[in-house]
Amino acid sequence: MLLPAKAEVARQLRRYRAWERVMLAAPDDRTVRTTFEDSGYTLCVLMGKRCAREAADAAERYLRTNQITYLQEQQVTCRQEQNERPRPATAVRRRPSAAERRYPAGR
């Protein structure tokens, strides 16, 4: 799994937080809101999350931890998502018959 550069994550997180403050100060300004939403979308793409708040939280965790811890967290999340999906039926393995075990093919 490729991880984003910590410097880029920090830069985008600062940008997101700055526009969040501006947007809270002027919620009716469409330009500010659009720029805030764009910064949230960029952070979502960078962190692989669907929600800007989740992406900001993930970015903060990523910046606090080392890469190995972040990878382990992502693997746990991936396993949890896989457990929620329906699994296909597994094929039943047949044990070789006694004749097949005694006389392997080609001898």
Side-chain angles (χ1 to χ4, degrees), residues 22-87:
V22 173
M23 200 271 307
L24 290 172
D28 295 333
D29 188 343
R30 286 181 180 252
T31 305
V32 170
R33 181 173 292 275
T34 301
T35 308
F36 170 66
E37 289 173 356
D38 287 347
S39 67
Y41 177 77
T42 301
L43 200 57
C44 286
V45 171
L46 193 61
M47 298 309 298
K49 299 292 182 185
R50 294 183 180 200
C51 171
R53 288 196 184 271
E54 288 177 10
D57 291 342
E60 288 171 350
R61 281 192 311 271
Y62 177 60
L63 293 172
R64 277 195 309 262
T65 62
N66 61 19
Q67 291 181 353
I68 293 176
T69 305
Y70 182 77
L71 282 173
Q72 290 169 346
E73 179 182 304
Q74 291 299 314
Q75 290 171 349
V76 168
T77 303
C78 184
R79 284 190 209 119
Q80 288 170 348
E81 290 173 358
Q82 288 175 348
N83 289 338
E84 293 171 0
R85 296 180 191 153
R87 294 183 178 173

Side-chain angles (χ1 to χ4, degrees), residues 8-26:
E8 183 64 20
V9 172
R11 188 173 77 80
Q12 291 299 332
L13 182 61
R14 280 192 309 270
R15 181 174 180 260
Y16 173 79
R17 293 294 185 204
W19 280 108
E20 181 179 39
R21 286 189 298 274
V22 173
M23 200 271 307
L24 290 172

